[in-house]
Amino acid sequence: MNFPLYIAKRYVRSKSSQNAVNIINFITFLVIVIGSAALFIVLSGFAGLKTFSLSFTNSFDPELKALPATGKFFEITPEQEKQLSEISGLAIYSKEIEEKVYLEHRGKNHIAYIKGIDSNYVKSIKVDSILYLGDWTINEQQVVSGIGIANILGVTINQFRSPLQIYAVKPGTGSISQSMGSSNSLYNQLPMVIGGVYAVEADLDNKYVFADLPLVQALLEKKENQISGINFKLKEDADALTVRADIKAVLGESIVLKNREELNSTLYKMLNTENLATYLIFTLVLIIALFNVVGAIIMMILDKQQNSKTLYSFGTTIKELRSIYFMQGILVTSMGGIIGVLLGSLLIWSQTTFGWLRITPSLAYPVEFKIMNVFLVLATIVVLGVIASKIASSRINKKLISLH
């Protein structure tokens, strides 16, 4: 058996004859437990917030999306559509066209985006989870809008007598003043009835009106094969990189392919930066707290000075004596870290199960248990424990254990 480890275990289990040393050891252990639990809870909280924040964008963003490499629109041929349908890892794809429009209803107005979608859109994007009122009715007369748009314009669903007016700028060349001088209007107008209302979050709720793809193409005076994006849904067992390469081979250099993370790169960077900053701040707190480990081990060295002299006289080397207190420090920090993570996991489980901490009466604070956070916290505690134990155990020298 490893002799230093055996002695270190006995020192961890045994109490000191000095009550002050026992109190210091208990406080040190408690600090490690609380620090590791706090770090794990904060990381789990940020993981929950990240998932919660991304759930809004996932309502609109597909697994993979093709966008024009330059400009707002690109063309897709029937041959390319046929080749896309033959890609083995692709479950379905849907075409869309998007442009900024002016909305008006009974003197109230709002600038938003109209998104023309085909019938496959509801299969590639989960719209059922975001529908708030009415149904997802999109045809030549009806559209679906965000709840923010409906509130701003004071429009409700199925107002056939007072439809929503959609205005889109006509494409063309020349100055606005020249166009105003002509008999033709600057805008194409389209009266539509809202058949359904979606609700996700404030920015998205104020942004989109969903309409039929051919109708929007006509409003924008675009050809049938002119679109602004293609949404792709992959099969569950599909390899994303392979499918991505196949799509790129079909559509060529006129498009760029982006996944959800690339579509929301700013949001992902912000969330990851916040997570890293929080981890570093709490790690700094743990570093300060683990100075208690250094002090506790030094107190133990002084308390066990006679024992160390005895062990030295029986042939134990200075290196082995240092190993005893080094391992004692690692054992204390490791056990404290494990207990802290267990307590933190219990609190996270209770929050996910019962939702006792709430943002609003109907919304529990989002948390998420991730095994990666368990390993991260334990690794942080162990590494800091090793450093603290090494510093403290280096205090053992021949002068300290001298028999004279």
Side-chain angles (χ1 to χ4, degrees):
M1 185 177 179
N2 190 317
F3 174 71
L5 180 60
Y6 173 75
I7 299 298
K9 287 180 179 178
R10 290 182 62 90
Y11 281 177
V12 170
R13 292 194 300 264
S14 64
K15 288 187 177 181
S16 171
S17 58
Q18 300 293 327
N19 193 43
V21 175
N22 293 329
I23 294 173
I24 292 172
N25 290 339
F26 175 76
I27 293 174
T28 300
F29 185 74
L30 192 62
V31 165
I32 297 169
V33 170
I34 294 173
S36 56
L39 178 58
F40 180 76
I41 290 169
V42 168
L43 291 178
S44 299
F46 265 91
L49 282 174
K50 182 177 180 179
T51 303
F52 182 71
S53 300
L54 294 178
S55 66
F56 296 134
T57 59
N58 291 347
S59 302
F60 281 90
D61 296 329
E63 296 175 55
L64 203 60
K65 188 168 187 174
L67 296 168
T70 56
K72 292 183 178 180
F73 309 99
F74 65 96
E75 296 184 0
I76 181 170
T77 64
E79 179 62 27
Q80 287 176 319
E81 291 195 53
K82 182 181 178 182
Q83 292 175 358
L84 287 176
S85 62
E86 293 173 352
I87 295 176
S88 58
L90 195 60
I92 201 167
Y93 71 90
S94 65
K95 298 178 292 181
E96 67 175 44
I97 188 167
E98 181 180 318
E99 184 59 285
K100 187 177 288 188
V101 293
Y102 177 83
L103 307 176
E104 189 271 332
H105 180 258
R106 291 183 175 177
K108 297 178 181 179
N109 54 73
H110 180 63
I111 295 176
Y113 284 85
I114 190 168
K115 187 188 285 281
I117 56 176
D118 61 15
S119 58
N120 285 338
Y121 185 83
V122 294
K123 301 175 184 177
S124 59
I125 305 293
K126 296 179 179 179
V127 297
D128 293 341
S129 60
I130 64 174
L131 195 61
Y132 180 77
L133 191 63
D135 51 27
W136 196 270
T137 304
I138 292 178
N139 50 44
E140 293 183 353
Q141 290 184 318
Q142 293 177 295
V143 296
V144 174
S145 79
I147 190 170
I149 293 174
N151 290 336
I152 291 171
L153 299 178
V155 60
T156 60
I157 61 172
N158 300 327
Q159 277 190 284
F160 288 92
R161 293 186 177 181
S162 178
L164 170 70
Q165 301 296 326
I166 303 174
Y167 298 88
V169 178
K170 288 183 177 180
T173 58
S175 66
I176 294 177
S177 58
Q178 289 175 333
S179 300
M180 290 178 67
S182 66
S183 59
N184 296 326
S185 171
L186 288 171
Y187 304 96
N188 288 324
Q189 183 178 355
L190 183 65
M192 297 298 292
V193 176
I194 294 180
V197 174
Y198 73 84
V200 182
E201 58 92 24
D203 289 338
L204 292 174
D205 293 346
N206 295 335
K207 188 174 182 180
Y208 288 114
V209 172
F210 290 89
D212 189 45
L213 177 61
L215 197 66
V216 177
Q217 288 173 327
L219 176 69
L220 302 176
E221 298 185 11
K222 301 298 178 184
K223 294 183 288 186
E224 290 183 1
N225 64 339
Q226 280 187 301
I227 54 177
S228 61
I230 306 177
N231 304 301
F232 298 100
K233 183 179 181 180
L234 279 57
K235 293 180 179 177
E236 291 185 3
D237 57 345
D239 180 65
L241 293 177
T242 303
V243 175
R244 187 167 185 157
D246 292 340
I247 294 171
K248 188 69 176 177
V250 172
L251 298 179
E253 298 301 320
S254 62
I255 59 97
V256 290
L257 287 171
K258 293 185 177 183
N259 56 27
R260 284 187 178 128
E261 184 172 349
E262 291 167 335
L263 287 168
N264 301 282
S265 57
T266 303
L267 178 61
Y268 272 86
K269 287 178 182 177
M270 181 189 71
L271 293 172
N272 290 334
T273 301
E274 288 179 350
N275 197 18
L276 177 61
T278 304
Y279 169 74
L280 293 176
I281 292 170
F282 268 79
T283 300
L284 179 61
V285 173
L286 279 176
I287 291 172
I288 297 171
L290 282 171
F291 276 112
N292 289 326
V293 176
V294 177
I297 294 174
I298 291 175
M299 290 295 293
M300 183 62 71
I301 291 171
L302 296 175
D303 184 60
K304 301 290 185 181
Q305 188 173 9
Q306 291 300 321
N307 293 7
S308 300
K309 289 180 180 181
T310 303
L311 291 172
Y312 185 69
S313 65
F314 277 112
T316 305
T317 62
I318 296 294
K319 184 178 180 181
E320 288 175 325
L321 288 174
R322 287 176 178 171
S323 296
I324 290 171
Y325 295 103
F326 175 72
M327 289 182 178
Q328 181 188 357
I330 293 177
L331 288 173
V332 170
T333 53
S334 299
M335 286 191 297
I338 292 170
I339 293 173
V341 169
L342 289 175
L343 289 175
S345 301
L346 183 63
L347 287 172
I348 296 302
W349 171 83
S350 68
Q351 173 65 14
T352 55
T353 305
F354 304 109
W356 48 270
L357 182 62
R358 294 184 173 273
I359 300 175
T360 66
S362 60
L363 178 62
Y365 192 93
V367 294
E368 184 176 350
F369 179 89
K370 284 190 173 183
I371 194 67
M372 184 63 187
N373 288 337
V374 173
F375 290 120
L376 181 61
V377 172
L378 291 178
T380 303
I381 291 293
V382 170
V383 169
L384 294 178
V386 167
I387 295 172
S389 302
K390 189 69 176 177
I391 294 171
S393 61
S394 64
R395 304 291 296 178
I396 296 287
N397 52 49
K398 286 187 179 180
K399 183 179 179 181
L400 184 65
I401 59 173
S402 175
L403 296 175
H404 303 289

